[in-house]
Amino acid sequence: RKEVEQDPGPFNVPEGATVAFNCTYSNSASQSFFWYRQDCRKEPKLLMSVYSSGNEDGRFTAQLNRASQYISLLIRDSKLSDSATYLCVVIKGGTSYGKLTFGQGTILTVHP
Amino acid sequence: GAVVSQHPSRVICKSGTSVKIECRSLDFQATTMFWYRQFPKKSLMLMATSNEGSKATYEQGVEKDKFLINHASLTLSTLTVTSAHPEDSSFYICSARDQAQAGGFTDTQYFGPGTRLTVL
C-alpha cells in the first residue's frame, strides 16, 4: 500500500463549480499534512497546511481526520487558474521529520 | 517567500557523461536540503536528504554512488548524476529547509524550479 494515496482524476469541472479531493495516508504516526499545487513542468508550491480543526483560506478548505487517516481539500467557486495538479503531502515524525512524502497528485481542469 | 534556485534548468547530455545540478538557497541558510525526482505523470519521489557538513542520507533503492550529493555550505547542495543513462532522464527538484528562529521558530521547505535532464 502506498504511504499517501490520492484519486488521480482527472477532474474536469466548469468555472464556478465546487470540487473536493480526498487523500489517505497509511502511517498513523504522521504528524504534519499539507496540500501543494503543481503546475505543468513547474515545481510544487505550498497551497495550505492542514489541521485537525480544519482550516480555510479564501475559496479553499482543508480537513484532517486523524482517526480515519484522511485528508480533504475543497475548492469553491472554481476559477480557470485553479487548473493544476494538487498534491497531498505528509510528514512523518521522529527521525523522518522534514521528509515530505507526496501523493501521486489529483489533476484538476477547470473549463469555461 | 524564500527563494531557492537550481542550475541548470534544463540539460541534455550523452549517455555515459556526468551531470551536476546545483541547488541554492538565496536568502536563508539551509542545513538540510532534499533532492526529489519526478517522472512524467508521476509524483515526486524523495531521493536523498542532504545535510550540510555531513554525508547525505539516501532513500531505499537510490544508489549513492550513482547520485553523488555534496552539501559544502549552508546555501549550496549539488547532485551529480554519474555515468548518466537514458533511464535517468527525469525532472530533478530540490527543496531547502528554512528553520529560522529569529522572530519565532519556523520550519518550512521551499522548492527550487527544477532541472529537466534528458539523456540521449
Side-chain angles (χ1 to χ4, degrees):
Chain A
R1 183 184 173 187
K2 293 180 183 176
E3 289 192 59
V4 181
E5 291 202 64
Q6 294 179 248
D7 178 351
F11 286 70
N12 293 295
V13 303
E15 274 187 288
T18 295
V19 61
F21 303 139
N22 303 320
C23 170
T24 58
Y25 60 95
S26 61
N27 191 324
S28 60
S30 299
Q31 293 191 350
S32 302
F33 310 89
F34 308 90
W35 283 101
Y36 276 73
R37 168 196 171 124
Q38 186 175 25
D39 293 292
C40 187
R41 303 172 82 85
K42 300 285 188 182
E43 76 276 21
K45 293 189 176 177
L46 179 64
L47 182 63
M48 58 197 306
S49 301
V50 188
Y51 306 112
S52 297
S53 55
N55 49 301
E56 188 174 308
D57 183 2
R59 297 180 293 108
F60 299 84
T61 301
Q63 293 277 355
L64 166 64
N65 184 321
R66 285 189 182 271
S68 302
Q69 295 178 201
Y70 170 93
I71 305 160
S72 66
L73 176 68
L74 182 76
I75 305 176
R76 291 182 299 278
D77 189 23
S78 300
K79 310 290 185 190
L80 295 177
S81 57
D82 293 335
S83 298
T85 298
Y86 290 83
L87 302 165
C88 176
V89 181
V90 170
I91 295 183
K92 292 182 284 189
T95 57
S96 295
Y97 195 79
K99 293 185 182 180
L100 304 181
T101 301
F102 287 81
Q104 66 192 102
T106 299
I107 299 171
L108 171 65
T109 302
V110 181
H111 57 82
Chain B
V3 178
V4 175
S5 70
Q6 271 184 251
H7 178 79
S9 59
R10 179 184 291 268
V11 59
I12 301 173
C13 68
K14 292 182 179 179
S15 187
T17 59
S18 294
V19 176
K20 179 186 283 188
I21 303 170
E22 293 185 349
C23 178
R24 293 181 185 272
S25 55
L26 298 184
D27 54 2
F28 65 99
Q29 294 182 331
T31 55
T32 304
M33 293 185 176
F34 300 92
W35 286 97
Y36 297 84
R37 180 169 54 184
Q38 185 176 33
F39 292 107
K41 299 187 179 181
K42 300 290 185 182
S43 192
L44 281 77
M45 294 296 295
L46 179 65
M47 298 175 66
T49 303
S50 173
N51 305 297
E52 188 268 336
S54 65
K55 290 183 180 179
T57 305
Y58 290 81
E59 295 300 300
Q60 191 173 12
V62 178
E63 299 175 57
K64 61 180 181 181
D65 295 329
K66 169 81 174 171
F67 300 98
L68 301 178
I69 291 173
N70 185 280
H71 194 153
S73 78
L74 288 172
T75 59
L76 173 64
S77 175
T78 60
L79 169 70
T80 301
V81 182
T82 62
S83 188
H85 290 283
E87 57 264 31
D88 297 324
S89 299
S90 186
F91 191 45
Y92 292 85
I93 306 177
C94 72
S95 72
R97 191 174 178 190
D98 184 3
Q99 294 176 283
Q101 295 194 9
F105 182 77
T106 63
D107 188 353
T108 307
Q109 289 189 36
Y110 298 94
F111 284 86
T115 297
R116 194 160 300 279
L117 171 64
T118 303
V119 184
L120 303 176

